[in-house]
Amino acid sequence: PATLGELRSLGVRIYAAENQFSEPVSPHLPAGDRRWALVVGSEGSGISEAVVAACDARISVPQQQGKCLNVAHAASICLYELGKFSFQTEE
């Protein structure tokens, strides 16, 4: 959590990703802003409560009921979606 606090003090928005969170992953905004970080946990124990509490947003990859992605696949999708507009600027 201390490192996350340091990132937040630099203006970084911190996303925690786990399959039980209800907010679906979407691109980080505003477009062109690359100040974000993603936290994922292990497949067994996930992200600790202290780390989740230190994050700004709790996201997940929408899935069909009963289906589950492994953490590497879910992290890849989150990184893609969050970074989708990182190199664009708003007009």
Side-chain angles (χ1 to χ4, degrees):
T3 301
L4 297 179
E6 289 178 35
L7 287 171
R8 185 179 287 128
S9 72
L10 296 171
V12 175
R13 182 166 171 82
I14 304 164
Y15 296 88
E18 286 203 340
N19 62 352
Q20 78 270 14
F21 296 146
S22 60
E23 183 70 29
V25 63
S26 60
H28 172 76
L29 295 173
D33 182 8
R34 290 180 250 161
R35 294 173 301 160
W36 59 269
L38 175 66
V39 176
V40 296
S42 67
E43 291 188 29
S45 56
I47 304 170
S48 73
E49 289 181 28
V51 170
V52 170
C55 293
D56 299 304
R58 291 143 187 82
I59 58 172
S60 66
V61 176
Q63 302 168 56
Q64 292 180 352
Q65 189 170 359
K67 304 282 183 173
C68 188
L69 296 171
N70 70 38
V71 71
H73 289 125
S76 297
I77 293 168
C78 288
L79 289 168
Y80 173 79
E81 285 296 325
L82 287 166
K84 194 179 279 187
F85 300 140
S86 290
F87 295 96
Q88 296 179 0
T89 55
E90 291 192 43
E91 295 180 23

